[in-house]
């Protein structure tokens, strides 16, 4: 009996509770701020802005999620199930958009598709001087830009699931006489569902919390409105009210997602898989696939990267490449790797306990961890700032404050890939190891960790990349004189010196590439 | 999950925690390597928070460093963001000096008790009193005007004489305006309210909102760009955005109209960029040197010319490409009133439903 009672307060449990408390503090601060607001502030917001903002936010998230789902799953399917020349290349290229900040993509498309831009010129040469093309500063414009930037989340998780997928399930279905389509619909897709849903969830959370792209494309969402309230007013109450709405919206979504995922839980029964047999393609088939993939990667990465490169080669841009600039690169890389490592460390116990001991407490802690992602960057940063000043003032003005803010903000990104990877290992494996005489530590090192290594690496890289691009929290919390590449892009781009912003933007992409390579390197797959 | 033996879950925490403890320690060590900016107060150093963009302030600060040997650490960000940050930091702020593009924000920092009054003969000689706080806790450095920019191929100068003309339905879908969060818009509307009263201002804003439609921009430079391309015919911006655009593209069909100069008109709306020394600084004397540098003729010329603004020092000439300062008059609302006008102005802007 005593053993049972003690098990509920294991050190791991304590660590989880402590990190949850830390995560919830800023949310509590923002809630308190919102609740302390006068009812007239609530009324004013509710009658003037809220309906439009809610509608805009929800419809944008919905449209992007749907498009990213289609794009992500179909491209993952193409590169894992077919064999054709150049497949390896596309497999890598499809992840590249993750290194491209959304605000950069938004700017590039604003330039390309905007009024009087090059694409419109071409179009008018064909169809006459009065015709107009789809404006990037519209619902569909924003939707397309966001989709192009976020579909790799779905692609990556789906691909990783398809690769570590045990084909024997499919073979059994085929042996039993199911058609190929039927096998796909009734066996493969349901087994992939946890990964796909996790990917889509990342997309939705990303879209509702994005500030850079919507502000450049002038599309009003809740996050954008929060930013406007915070930068246009000296009191932060209205901003915190809108933030709370955003948090509620996101939690509703996350609960729905969790419900979806709880209905489907599958265990991998062995640590070994056979790679699925790829279908050899005829030449016309290969051409069609290549055209498809080239269009997607070209739009999401190739064209923007080319433009950034051209702008970086301009003489104005060249003039600013000095020793200071290398400092920015170093700052960015260091901050991002530290934040990613810290977030994985905080995330692992959370995900582990929620999977192995899904009590209300543990699930609640996990759910709470998602709050930081939807708390809009500037508001979360303000909360972190106030907390540090009041609780640990000696740390204020150091990068530790920034790292805490990043962990708070990006932990869910890590959890989304840590969780499924832990869920895929059946507890039996660990139990067997224990029965065979392994110590707990040995079990963890030799059984659990190798099996979730994929998930850990994916989590680390995703957080690294996101931190690299993060803007509002860095703006608000960076120590004096400590600029990152993202800050440089913002400082130049917000004054419309886009050629000057280009080298920093290009470097964000370049520094992100090794991380992506790690994500795709072959040796971590065969655990 | 229910099959998971309980004694296992009890013990599994221990080694995990040990592994994590090691990693956490390694992480913390790595953090300590980072170049944590020294907080020691050296007399030959200043920390400046600037709402003016880095490009437009750094060369002046570099010139100051070259002249005095005083190192300047610069933090550039949005003006209101910085006021919020300074408020939150309070007495723990590392900042010594605050530079802002908006007199309203400076006055707000003053009323929040963040700034220290200043008594310096250099300031009083160089900057006329209407451009400073009464107790000199902030000092204006350069002047900026809210003007109408037009595409010269689409509009002739006689079509508009006043900002209020822009509410006329004939400008439907032909105007670009800044969004409701813009400090320039807030200051401009505050001046109009003070000059004409709330009712007339409200009618004006409703007209402006209808005419602008979706042409509401975060950045004034985007407005100038839209006018230059002919996407809209006119826009409302601070004057230097036009000259900045022309400096890069001299052939752009852009014209500047100084509004409300007609007899009995309210005059052009002016705002200033300025500087204040923070109350809690331990480097007050060093900060005074920076103020002294910026109000002197050389500093004034440099500070204003970098952004094509008007120097406030009466002896310093503005950039020759600008409209001659003596050729137009300014609205009579004092700058120190901008802060107190701001809150009701924001309410009015939101009532009208501007974005």
């Amino acid at each position: 009996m005593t053993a049972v009672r003690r098990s509920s307060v294991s050190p791991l449990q304590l660590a989880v509770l402590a990190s949850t408390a830390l995560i919830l503090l800023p949310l509590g601060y923002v809630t308190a701020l919102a609740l302390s607001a006068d009812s007239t502030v609530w009324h004013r917001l509710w009658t003037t802005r809220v309906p439009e903002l809610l509608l805009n936010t929800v419809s944008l998230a919905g449209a992007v999620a749907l498009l990213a789902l289609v794009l992500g799953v179909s491209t993952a399917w193409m590169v894992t199930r077919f064999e054709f020349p150049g497949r390896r290349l596309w497999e890598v290229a499809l992840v590249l958009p993750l290194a491209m900040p959304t605000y950069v993509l938004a700017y590039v498309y604003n330039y390309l598709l905007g009024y009087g831009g090059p694409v419109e010129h071409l179009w008018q040469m064909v169809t006459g001087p009065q015709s107009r093309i789809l404006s990037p500063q519209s619902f569909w414009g924003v939707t397309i830009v966001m989709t192009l930037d976020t579909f790799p989340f779905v692609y990556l998780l789906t691909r990783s699931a398809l690769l570590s997928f045990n084909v024997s399930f499919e073979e059994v279905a085929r042996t039993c006489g199911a058609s190929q389509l039927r096998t796909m619909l009734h066996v493969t897709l349901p087994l992939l569902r946890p990964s796909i849903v996790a990917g889509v969830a990342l997309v939705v959370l990303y879209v509702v919390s994005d500030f850079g792209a919507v502000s450049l494309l002038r599309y009003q969402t809740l996050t954008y409105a929060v930013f406007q309230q915070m930068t246009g007013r000296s009191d932060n109450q209205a901003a915190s009210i809108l933030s709370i709405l955003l948090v509620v919206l996101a939690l509703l979504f996350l609960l729905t997602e969790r419900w979806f995922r709880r209905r489907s839980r599958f265990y991998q029964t062995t640590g070994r898989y056979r790679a699925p047999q790829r279908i050899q393609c005829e030449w016309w088939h290969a051409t069609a696939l290549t055209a498809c993939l080239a269009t997607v990667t070209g739009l999401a990465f190739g064209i923007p990267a080319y433009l950034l490169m051209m702008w970086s080669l301009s003489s104005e841009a060249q003039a600013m490449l000095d020793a200071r600039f290398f400092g920015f690169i170093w700052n960015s890389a260091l901050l991002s790797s530290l934040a990613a490592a810290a977030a994985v460390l905080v995330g692992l116990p959370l995900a582990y306990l929620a999977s192995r001991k899904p009590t209300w407490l543990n699930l609640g802690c996990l759910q709470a961890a998602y709050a930081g992602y939807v708390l809009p960057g500037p508001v979360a940063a303000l909360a972190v700032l106030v907390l540090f000043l009041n609780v640990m003032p000696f740390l204020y003005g150091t990068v530790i404050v920034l790292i805490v803010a990043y962990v708070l903000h990006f932990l869910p990104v890590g959890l989304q890939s840590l969780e499924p990877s832990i869920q895929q290992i059946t507890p039996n494996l660990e139990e067997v190891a224990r029965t065979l005489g392994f110590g707990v530590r040995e079990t963890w090192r030799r059984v659990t960790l190798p099996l979730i290594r994929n998930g850990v690496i994916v989590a680390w890289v995703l957080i690294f990349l996101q931190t690299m691009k993060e803007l509002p929290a860095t703006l608000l919390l960076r120590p004096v004189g400590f600029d990152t590449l993202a800050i440089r892009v913002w400082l130049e781009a917000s004054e419309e010196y886009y050629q000057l912003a280009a080298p920093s933007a290009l470097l964000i992409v370049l520094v992100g590439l090794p991380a992506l390579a790690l994500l795709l390197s072959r040796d971590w797959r065969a655990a | 999950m229910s099959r998971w033996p309980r004694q296992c879950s009890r013990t599994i925490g221990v080694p995990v925690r040990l592994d994590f403890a090691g990693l956490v320690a390694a992480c913390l060590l790595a953090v300590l390597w980072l170049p944590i900016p020294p907080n020691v107060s050296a007399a030959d150093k200043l920390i400046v928070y600037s709402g003016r963009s880095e490009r437009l302030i750094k060369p002046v600060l570099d010139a100051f460093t070259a002249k005095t040997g005083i190192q300047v650490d610069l933090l550039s960000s949005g003006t209101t963001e910085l006021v919020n940050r300074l408020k939150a930091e309070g007495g723990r702020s590392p900042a010594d000096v605050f530079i802002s593009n908006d007199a309203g924000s400076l006055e707000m920092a003053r009323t929040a008790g963040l700034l220290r009054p200043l008594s310096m003969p250099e300031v009083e000689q160089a900057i006329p009193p209407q451009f400073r706080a009464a107790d000199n806790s902030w000092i204006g450095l350069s002047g900026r005007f809210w003007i109408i920019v037009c595409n010269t191929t689409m509009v002739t100068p006689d079509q508009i004489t006043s900002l209020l003309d822009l509410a006329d339905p004939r400008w439907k879908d032909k105007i670009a305006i800044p969004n409701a969060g813009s400090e320039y818009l807030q200051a401009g509307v505050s001046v109009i309210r003070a000059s004409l009263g709330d009712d007339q201002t409200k009618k004006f804003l409703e007209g402006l909102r209808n005419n602008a439609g979706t042409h509401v921009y975060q950045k004034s430079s985007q407005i100038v760009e839209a006018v230059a391309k002919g996407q809209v015919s006119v826009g409302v911006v601070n004057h230097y955005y036009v000259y900045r655009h022309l400096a890069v593209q001299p052939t752009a069909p852009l014209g500047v109209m100084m509004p409300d100069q007609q007899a009995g008109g309210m005059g052009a709306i002016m705002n200033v960029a300025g500087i204040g020394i923070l109350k809690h600084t331990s480097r007050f004397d060093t900060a005074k040197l920076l103020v002294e540098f910026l109000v002197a003729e050389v500093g004034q010329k440099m500070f204003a010319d970098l952004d094509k603004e008007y120097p406030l020092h009466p002896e310093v000439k503005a950039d020759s490409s600008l409209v001659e300062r003596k050729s137009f008059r300014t609205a009579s609302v004092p700058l120190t009133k901008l802060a107190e006008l701001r809150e009701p102005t924001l309410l009015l802007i939101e009532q009208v439903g501007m974005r």
Side-chain angles (χ1 to χ4, degrees):
Chain A
M1 208 52 218
T2 40
V4 171
R5 193 159 301 145
R6 226 187 299 150
S7 77
S8 61
V9 286
S10 70
L12 197 61
Q13 185 86 62
L14 277 182
V16 164
L17 285 176
S19 45
T20 310
L22 267 176
I23 291 161
L24 285 180
L25 268 177
L27 186 64
Y29 169 78
V30 175
T31 314
L33 201 60
L35 291 180
S36 70
D38 207 56
S39 62
T40 53
V41 181
W42 284 85
H43 180 77
R44 187 190 80 212
L45 286 172
W46 199 259
T47 47
T48 55
R49 303 301 316 279
V50 170
E52 181 203 0
L53 293 173
L54 273 180
L55 183 72
N56 281 2
T57 309
V58 171
S59 53
L60 181 68
V64 175
L66 198 69
L67 286 180
L69 173 78
V70 173
L71 212 55
V73 174
S74 59
T75 47
W77 196 272
M78 287 179 204
V79 296
T80 49
R81 287 304 167 94
F82 297 101
E83 187 60 63
F84 55 98
R87 178 185 61 79
R88 291 267 180 77
L89 178 79
W90 300 120
E91 211 167 357
V92 176
L94 282 166
V95 192
L96 294 178
L98 281 184
M100 181 76 66
T102 324
Y103 43 85
V104 173
L105 205 64
Y107 167 63
V108 166
Y109 277 101
N110 217 3
Y111 162 79
L112 281 176
L113 301 180
Y115 190 93
V119 177
E120 191 170 83
H121 267 299
L122 275 180
W123 182 246
Q124 285 172 349
M125 279 181 1
V126 181
T127 55
Q130 287 311 313
S131 60
R132 292 264 167 274
I133 51 170
L134 170 76
S135 165
Q137 296 174 350
S138 63
F139 174 75
W140 287 111
V142 184
T143 305
I144 289 169
V145 166
M146 296 278 233
T147 306
L148 285 175
D149 209 48
T150 54
F151 85 88
F153 286 127
V154 182
Y155 162 77
L156 205 60
L157 291 172
T158 311
R159 170 180 171 276
S160 152
L162 274 169
L163 285 177
S164 57
F165 179 82
N166 202 336
V167 271
S168 38
F169 292 125
E170 279 181 349
E171 281 164 1
V172 168
R174 298 281 288 140
T175 324
C176 294
S179 71
Q180 218 159 16
L181 186 70
R182 204 178 144 82
T183 310
M184 183 173 118
L185 289 180
H186 292 275
V187 178
T188 319
L189 279 181
L191 282 172
L192 293 178
R193 198 165 64 189
S195 299
I196 296 178
V197 171
V200 172
L202 278 182
V203 171
V204 170
L205 290 180
Y206 190 93
V207 171
V208 298
S209 70
D210 173 78
F211 156 71
V214 289
S215 78
L216 274 175
L217 299 178
R218 300 190 292 118
Y219 182 77
Q220 298 270 323
T221 62
L222 272 169
T223 307
Y224 184 29
V226 166
F227 183 83
Q228 283 179 324
Q229 292 282 346
M230 274 195 68
T231 52
R233 281 179 164 273
S234 58
D235 79 289
N236 294 318
Q237 284 183 336
S240 48
I241 290 175
L242 292 177
S243 310
I244 294 298
L245 279 179
L246 197 56
V247 171
V248 170
L249 194 70
L251 284 183
L252 278 178
F253 165 76
L254 284 168
L255 287 175
T256 322
E257 187 243 325
R258 185 141 298 272
W259 178 77
F260 258 107
R261 224 183 319 159
R262 278 182 67 78
R263 281 181 42 198
S264 53
R265 177 165 293 192
F266 309 101
Y267 292 120
Q268 189 79 45
T269 45
T270 68
R272 298 222 175 93
Y273 348 93
R274 226 150 22 87
Q277 204 75 43
R278 293 176 201 274
I279 298 168
Q280 283 294 335
C281 295
E282 303 283 329
W283 67 269
W284 56 268
H285 197 167
T287 314
L289 283 176
T290 307
C292 233
L293 294 170
T295 311
V296 173
T297 46
L299 289 177
F301 189 81
I303 294 171
Y306 172 76
L307 272 176
L308 286 182
M309 237 170 323
M310 291 330 269
W311 282 326
S312 298
L313 289 176
S314 69
S315 51
E316 297 117 298
Q318 296 281 306
M320 53 169 287
L321 299 176
D322 52 13
R324 248 180 103 215
F325 200 77
F326 290 102
F328 304 143
I329 304 173
W330 170 245
N331 289 350
S332 283
L334 201 63
L335 262 188
S336 309
S337 27
L338 283 176
V344 168
L345 285 182
V346 175
L348 261 179
L350 275 171
Y352 190 80
L353 273 193
S355 303
R356 286 291 178 266
K357 294 179 65 190
T359 58
W360 279 109
L361 183 67
N362 288 337
L363 287 176
C365 287
L366 186 74
Q367 215 54 267
Y370 284 92
Y373 198 60
V374 286
L375 209 53
V379 178
L382 184 80
V384 170
L385 182 145
V386 169
L387 288 172
F388 263 95
L389 280 168
N390 288 316
V391 185
M392 288 181 281
F394 53 95
L395 285 181
Y396 184 74
T398 67
V399 289
I400 293 174
V401 185
L402 265 181
I403 289 177
V404 168
Y406 292 144
V407 170
L408 184 78
H409 199 48
F410 293 127
L411 187 55
V413 180
L415 288 177
Q416 288 285 6
S417 60
L418 288 177
E419 245 197 298
S421 71
I422 290 179
Q423 279 178 6
Q424 271 198 351
I425 326 168
T426 154
N428 296 343
L429 279 180
E430 285 164 352
E431 286 165 17
V432 168
R434 301 272 295 136
T435 333
L436 290 177
F438 274 8
V440 175
R441 176 196 289 240
E442 195 131 349
T443 309
W444 178 258
R445 192 171 57 81
R446 292 188 52 184
V447 179
T448 318
L449 264 188
L451 284 174
I452 61 169
R453 201 161 88 205
N454 295 2
V456 171
I457 293 178
V458 173
W460 190 91
V461 171
L462 287 180
I463 300 170
F464 177 90
L465 290 171
Q466 297 257 51
T467 314
M468 203 67 199
K469 304 184 281 184
E470 205 280 344
L471 207 45
T474 320
L475 275 173
L476 206 59
L477 296 174
R478 78 201 135 116
V480 180
F482 190 89
D483 284 358
T484 63
L485 289 171
I487 296 281
R488 298 315 298 177
V489 175
W490 184 82
L491 286 179
E492 307 291 2
S494 64
E495 292 294 328
E496 311 279 301
Y497 294 106
Y498 285 103
Q499 290 186 329
L500 295 178
S504 309
L506 196 61
L507 266 163
I508 293 183
V509 177
L510 288 180
V511 175
L513 290 184
L516 286 180
L518 187 63
L519 199 64
L520 287 168
S521 66
R522 297 188 68 80
D523 66 323
W524 58 263
R525 199 195 301 150
Chain B
M1 260 56 37
S2 51
R3 282 171 297 151
W4 184 243
R6 274 165 194 259
Q7 69 266 40
C8 263
S9 58
R10 174 171 58 85
T11 45
I12 201 159
V14 182
V16 170
R17 186 205 47 173
L18 286 178
D19 284 352
F20 278 129
L23 280 165
V24 169
C27 240
L28 280 177
L29 273 179
V31 168
L32 291 177
W33 274 0
L34 286 177
I36 293 171
N39 279 333
V40 281
S41 62
D44 54 352
K45 190 188 134 174
L46 274 180
I47 294 180
V48 175
Y49 280 14
S50 165
R52 195 179 181 84
S53 68
E54 187 192 272
R55 172 159 310 280
L56 304 175
I57 185 76
K58 194 153 188 312
V60 194
L61 297 176
D62 286 346
F64 172 71
T65 305
K67 190 179 170 215
T68 59
I70 297 166
Q71 200 64 40
V72 179
D73 277 352
L74 177 65
L75 182 85
S76 303
S77 213
T79 294
T80 310
E81 269 163 78
L82 284 176
V83 176
N84 287 339
R85 180 169 176 166
L86 283 168
K87 275 187 188 168
E89 289 175 347
R92 297 204 181 87
S93 178
D96 303 305
V97 171
F98 175 45
I99 291 176
S100 158
N101 268 353
D102 166 46
S105 305
L106 284 164
E107 180 65 14
M108 202 137 26
R110 186 188 74 80
T111 49
L114 296 170
L115 302 179
R116 186 186 286 202
L118 195 61
S119 156
M120 280 171 70
E122 294 89 346
V123 168
E124 268 143 53
Q125 279 157 25
I127 308 292
Q130 69 266 35
F131 304 132
R132 303 183 247 129
D135 58 357
N136 285 349
S137 47
W138 60 262
I139 297 127
L141 293 174
S142 63
R144 31 187 47 213
F145 290 89
W146 222 37
I147 52 97
I148 297 171
V149 55
C150 62
N151 186 308
T152 46
T153 63
M154 301 162 87
V155 181
T156 53
D158 57 318
Q159 284 177 284
I160 305 167
T161 54
S162 164
L163 275 174
L164 303 184
D165 294 346
L166 297 179
D168 191 305
R170 72 184 166 129
W171 296 108
K172 179 107 184 93
D173 289 327
K174 290 179 186 158
I175 304 183
I177 59 171
N179 72 27
S182 143
E183 285 103 5
Y184 313 140
L185 180 88
Q186 293 164 4
V189 175
S190 293
V191 172
I192 298 175
R193 274 183 54 235
S195 310
L196 305 171
D198 276 1
D199 289 342
Q200 217 175 326
T201 311
K202 191 171 178 182
K203 271 195 210 106
F204 162 66
L205 287 181
E206 280 165 352
L208 202 61
R209 177 200 65 201
N210 292 341
N211 287 346
T214 59
H215 294 293
V216 181
Y217 293 81
Q218 172 95 6
K219 293 285 169 190
S220 298
S221 38
Q222 295 167 336
I223 297 178
V224 175
E225 176 108 26
V227 174
K229 282 186 191 162
Q231 193 171 3
V232 287
S233 320
V234 289
V236 190
V237 288
N238 277 342
H239 72 271
Y240 47 84
Y241 287 104
V242 183
Y243 297 103
R244 234 194 253 175
H245 191 96
L246 286 172
V248 186
Q249 286 171 317
T251 54
L254 291 173
V256 167
M257 292 178 189
M258 203 56 77
D260 297 285
Q261 299 299 313
Q262 74 281 23
M266 68 179 168
I269 293 170
M270 183 190 191
N271 202 339
V272 299
I275 187 170
I277 299 180
L278 290 156
K279 192 170 222 162
H280 296 95
T281 174
S282 57
R283 293 185 278 241
F284 187 58
D285 291 327
T286 321
K288 273 166 76 176
L289 289 178
L290 178 61
V291 174
E292 198 183 310
F293 176 80
L294 289 175
V295 299
E297 293 194 21
V298 180
Q300 273 285 288
K301 179 78 185 151
M302 210 180 200
F303 188 86
D305 280 1
L306 270 172
D307 200 19
K308 309 263 187 208
E309 289 178 312
Y310 292 91
L312 296 180
H313 194 302
E315 303 298 316
V316 181
K317 283 251 174 308
D319 187 291
S320 56
S321 60
L322 302 186
V323 181
E324 174 64 42
R325 174 67 192 87
K326 292 197 180 73
S327 69
F328 60 94
R329 72 198 159 73
T330 309
S332 57
V333 180
L335 291 166
T336 46
K337 282 193 72 180
L338 285 182
E340 62 180 273
L341 288 166
R342 183 149 136 174
E343 198 53 39
T345 296
L346 281 170
L347 263 175
L348 189 69
I349 289 176
E350 272 171 15
Q351 268 173 20
V352 170
M354 295 177 88
R355 301 216 281 192

